[in-house]
Amino acid sequence: MSSGHENRPAIPRHIAVIMDGNGRWAYRQHLPRVAGHRRGAEVVREMVQSCVDLGIPFLTLFAFSTENWRRPALEVRLLMNLFRLLLRREVRKLQENGVRLRIIGDRGALDRDIRQLIEEAETLTRANNRLQLNLAVNYGGRWDITQAARAAMAAVQAGEFAPEDLSEAHIARHLALADIPEPDLLIRTGGEERISNFLIWQLAYTEFYFTDTLWPDVDRAVLEHALHSFAHRQRRFGRTGDQVLEADCSVSD
Ligand code: IPE
Ligand code: IPE
Ligand code: MG
């Protein structure tokens, strides 16, 4: 059931996903962890297609966290190679599908050729508006807030405003994804129920959906379950349930 009202829209505009469980999927098949990441990359392709089909305009996927550098060097290298492959092979398909690709995260630590591929892909797909796909690579919520604070401090130093006038808006405007709506729905696969330093500021009022399904096993049905769950929630943003119902009624009047 869906109301389509501002407080309870049928379909989220922005879905964020913590794609977890690739390693466990691989262990279960007696395969190396990278096989899980490879299968995971295929699921990314399917997920993008589903969002295009459903008319969801923004999708943000957590691919590599600032903490994932702690993994064995070989796994990190294989993950980066997979990312390279995706940037080389998939971008044309994204372009044909009207998908705009953006990478969020600290690029400084990525290999130079990867940074180059990112810039090319972002430039090529810049004008597309069917779906904006944000891939979080070397991304951390704390990094994001810190770099936004740094930008706000620079503005103070430039005399744009006084330190005591610092507001939430001064930070928010420098965050990754500042120019798009905050996520309506966060999906985490793989059974863990934590944020793992994903979009901590932007998820302040996001609805969470956790599933035990491992990312490489995710299919359209999992997405539909999450959307069904989302459609039945009342988003109150601090108000009472009655206030929200009243606002809904006045919208439909
Ligand atoms: C998520 O799967 C992918 C990345 C973090 C890159 P994992 O690799 O974390 O899979 P599990 O949690 O070990 O099963
Ligand atoms: C979160 O998964 C990061 C990504 C999906 C890229 P992790 O598997 O790294 O998270 P933790 O370490 O279990 O919290
Ligand atoms: Mg994991």
Side-chain angles (χ1 to χ4, degrees), residues 19-25 33 37 63-64 68 71 75 79:
M19 311 182 286
D20 199 13
N22 294 352
R24 281 163 283 164
W25 182 89
R33 292 178 59 88
H37 298 316
F64 192 88
N68 286 145
R71 294 190 177 200
E75 179 163 348
L79 279 167

